[in-house]
Amino acid sequence: MSDKVMKIVAQAASEVQGLTITVGDIKSKTRRLEVVIARQFYHYIMRTYTKQSLWTISRETKNNHSTVLHSVKTYNNAVGFERRIFDRIYNVAFPQLSGILEMEDFQLELEKAMQQKGLDEAKKMMDQKLQREVGKERERTNKVKSMVFEYLRSQKVQGYLIAGLTKELEEV
């Protein structure tokens, strides 16, 4: 999973900086500024949005745990040129990353549950997660439906048209 995150970060950093940055570059020891920025962004994302330890993150990029801490600090304190680059990479990468990061965290929780409590507990966790996701999706669907109905009412759409749309929306 971390390789997927690293690949998305490399692609976003390449796009934003107009250079080719690969996963191998992020894992390498190079100090080229464009690669360092991509590596720091990767460290920031993994440390901030996952439950992975410093040691695990640093191992993936062949760095020391203190390098990961420094990367997070650099990201948080960035100003000027660096801040604009980080923000642009974030805007390009994060829409693709959000679901992957959530799954990565869930995978870690699941592995822990399997090790500590066994297969039955892991199955329970998966069922609970699925129920939460189904509930969230239902909530989002209902919110969209109510927004459409409200818009139609505000536009004073004729009654028979609203009735037909209501029936179609209820089938969704």
Side-chain angles (χ1 to χ4, degrees):
M1 223 29 114
S2 297
D3 284 341
K4 287 182 183 179
V5 173
M6 202 176 295
K7 184 177 180 181
I8 291 169
V9 168
Q11 290 170 343
S14 295
E15 181 181 324
V16 166
Q17 297 181 82
L19 301 162
T20 302
I21 299 170
T22 65
V23 169
D25 290 334
I26 293 175
K27 289 181 177 182
S28 75
K29 296 283 186 185
T30 186
R31 293 185 180 185
R32 289 187 354 242
L33 181 61
E34 63 274 5
V35 175
V36 169
I37 287 174
R39 188 180 308 122
Q40 287 174 335
F41 182 78
Y42 174 77
H43 287 158
Y44 167 78
I45 289 291
M46 295 304 288
R47 183 64 179 160
T48 305
Y49 294 102
T50 70
K51 295 175 183 170
Q52 288 191 358
S53 68
L54 290 170
W55 184 81
T56 303
I57 298 167
S58 64
R59 191 180 58 186
E60 291 169 359
T61 56
K62 300 175 188 164
N63 292 116
N64 191 297
H65 74 281
S66 60
T67 305
V68 176
L69 285 173
H70 178 73
S71 295
V72 172
K73 184 178 175 182
T74 299
Y75 180 89
N76 288 330
N77 296 332
V79 293
F81 170 76
E82 270 189 341
R83 171 53 49 209
R84 285 192 303 276
I85 295 294
F86 279 136
D87 288 348
R88 288 174 63 201
I89 293 172
Y90 183 92
N91 290 336
V92 170
F94 203 74
Q96 300 170 55
L97 289 174
S98 57
I100 293 172
L101 295 171
E102 189 175 313
M103 285 307 296
E104 185 144 330
D105 270 355
F106 181 66
Q107 183 180 354
L108 285 172
E109 288 176 31
L110 199 56
E111 287 171 3
K112 244 185 225 177
M114 284 181 69
Q115 290 171 354
Q116 295 172 352
K117 300 173 185 173
L119 187 60
D120 289 337
E121 189 64 30
K123 282 177 73 175
K124 280 183 192 175
M125 276 184 65
M126 284 177 51
D127 289 342
Q128 290 169 350
K129 172 78 172 170
L130 182 62
Q131 291 302 318
R132 281 194 307 270
E133 291 304 315
V134 166
K136 285 180 190 175
E137 192 59 39
R138 195 173 297 129
E139 217 174 274
R140 283 190 289 261
T141 302
N142 289 337
K143 190 180 268 186
V144 168
K145 284 180 183 179
S146 67
M147 288 170 55
V148 168
F149 290 140
E150 194 58 42
Y151 174 76
L152 291 173
R153 282 188 200 105
S154 72
Q155 298 299 312
K156 297 182 180 154
V157 176
Q158 294 176 349
Y160 67 90
L161 190 56
I162 290 178
L165 288 171
T166 302
K167 187 176 179 182
E168 284 182 39
L169 284 172
E170 287 173 354
E171 292 171 3
V172 174

